[in-house]
Amino acid sequence: MMAPKKVEHSAAVAQPEGCHRCSSRSVDESKVHGFEEEWMSLKKVLLRPGSEDRFKAIGITGIAGIGKTTLCQLLFNKEEVKDYFFPRIWVCMSAHRGDDPDQKIAILKRMLGSLGVEEGIINKDDEDENHDLKELLLYALRLQLQGKRYLIVLDDASSNKDNWYQQLNSSPTRMGKWDRLACGLPKGCGGAVIVTSRNEELAKKMVGGEGEGFLHRVLPLSDPESSWEIFIQAAEKQYPDRKYSKDSELPINLEILKKEILQKCVGLPLTATMMGEYEKFLY
């Protein structure tokens, strides 16, 4: 299958804020440290030669603050990924204020909205009393994605109460039951879904099933200097009058501070960031 034409890609980028091309979670790559090998490994899975038409499901797991979302943001915004997938949408799985009481319906509406479907059209299905609303929304989602090499990120998945989010690789049953999210995700055109979750068992269930699933565990940063660079950036942003040069010799008090920081953050990027933001209280 050929990649989307450049003209289509450019037109999408030029669309106003709120459309699916502008709903991705951006990241300043210059301020991210320690994930180079990981995003390159995941990129190879997504763009693997010879798998252009195969559906791919990737799970990214790890404890809170370890950088799952940041790693996914890096991958999502790489030019090679942008050129390969169209459309690309980022869906936060956590509940939002004003959501439909049924979180599954809320997620489907969020996905359709990210794909550019107007709110009035999405909510029109609420008035249809003769059909199951989730089935209608799943069918609408499938129509929007049919024949496209899409990329969908489901960030911060946590619901493990039933099978609705599981086996994203699967297709509607022969009996025609549209009873899970996978039914709204067309297969055979090279689409892909990335799931981030603290719950490894949930991620396994979501990316498993028929076809190919891939699970990546994010581990604490192994390079201490990456944690220190994250701390420096957070501290200098919070306190611009203080400068910590990683290329020059540190004063003895900062050498002691650096040692303490590296011991306390244990390779967690979020911890290093928070400690940098409250650096003035660490002396």
Side-chain angles (χ1 to χ4, degrees):
M1 178 179 175
M2 295 180 64
K5 294 181 179 179
K6 277 288 184 179
V7 63
E8 183 181 2
H9 179 272
S10 299
V13 172
Q15 290 176 356
E17 186 174 359
C19 68
H20 66 269
R21 297 297 286 181
C22 298
S23 64
S24 65
R25 294 282 296 276
S26 60
V27 64
D28 186 346
E29 190 172 335
S30 66
K31 296 182 179 180
V32 178
H33 305 278
F35 287 121
E36 290 80 6
E37 292 184 4
E38 292 189 88
W39 74 255
M40 289 180 66
S41 175
L42 290 171
K43 186 185 75 171
K44 289 179 181 178
V45 175
L46 272 183
L47 309 183
R48 182 179 299 161
S51 64
E52 289 82 359
D53 294 335
R54 297 184 65 179
F55 178 83
K56 304 178 187 71
I58 297 175
I60 299 178
T61 69
I63 62 175
I66 204 165
K68 300 180 296 296
T69 296
T70 299
L71 173 59
C72 198
Q73 288 170 332
L74 280 174
L75 184 64
F76 189 80
N77 289 289
K78 288 295 178 182
E79 288 301 322
E80 305 98 307
V81 174
K82 290 181 181 180
D83 290 338
Y84 192 83
F85 292 101
F86 181 88
R88 298 175 305 118
I89 65 172
W90 186 288
V91 182
C92 181
M93 297 289 283
S94 56
H96 293 182
R97 181 178 298 177
D99 271 352
D100 190 284
D102 187 329
Q103 190 61 17
K104 297 169 187 175
I105 290 176
I107 293 296
L108 287 170
K109 288 184 175 181
R110 203 173 296 163
M111 295 174 78
L112 288 168
S114 295
L115 287 165
V117 180
E118 295 181 4
E119 185 176 351
I121 296 176
I122 296 173
N123 293 327
K124 186 177 181 180
D125 288 335
D126 294 352
E127 305 169 4
D128 191 334
E129 299 179 355
N130 298 318
H131 298 88
D132 181 87
L133 180 55
K134 281 195 287 289
E135 288 191 8
L136 290 173
L137 293 173
L138 279 170
Y139 185 67
L141 177 64
R142 190 175 185 88
L143 288 179
Q144 288 291 321
L145 298 174
Q146 192 69 50
K148 299 175 182 177
R149 188 189 288 163
Y150 57 85
L151 173 62
I152 299 174
V153 171
L154 302 176
D155 187 39
D156 197 22
S158 59
S159 177
N160 196 23
K161 296 180 180 179
D162 55 40
N163 297 328
W164 199 78
Y165 293 105
Q166 297 178 14
Q167 294 185 337
L168 296 176
N169 287 303
S170 63
S171 300
T173 64
R174 293 182 180 179
M175 300 299 293
K177 290 185 178 181
W178 290 61
D179 57 355
R180 60 183 62 197
L181 178 58
C183 298
L185 305 176
K187 311 303 188 295
C189 292
V193 175
I194 303 176
V195 176
T196 74
S197 179
R198 303 177 193 179
N199 187 332
E200 183 170 320
E201 287 304 312
L202 172 61
K204 286 180 180 178
K205 291 176 181 178
M206 291 181 72
V207 304
E210 303 171 9
E212 180 181 358
F214 182 87
L215 190 71
H216 178 80
R217 299 178 185 87
V218 182
L219 301 176
L221 297 174
S222 58
D223 178 17
E225 290 303 317
S226 294
S227 296
W228 180 239
E229 288 173 356
I230 293 171
F231 170 84
I232 289 175
Q233 287 180 341
E236 291 185 346
K237 180 179 179 180
Q238 190 75 2
Y239 312 104
D241 57 318
R242 300 187 181 186
K243 297 297 179 182
Y244 308 85
S245 175
K246 64 180 181 179
D247 299 321
S248 59
E249 185 175 348
L250 293 173
I252 185 63
N253 63 324
L254 287 185
E255 283 287 4
I256 296 173
L257 174 64
K258 178 179 179 179
K259 184 177 180 180
E260 292 179 353
I261 293 298
L262 296 180
Q263 288 177 341
K264 292 178 180 178
C265 73
V266 292
L268 299 182
L270 180 59
T271 303
T273 298
M274 294 177 66
M275 294 182 77
E277 292 173 349
Y278 292 94
E279 177 272 340
K280 69 177 182 179
F281 299 109
L282 298 177
Y283 282 103

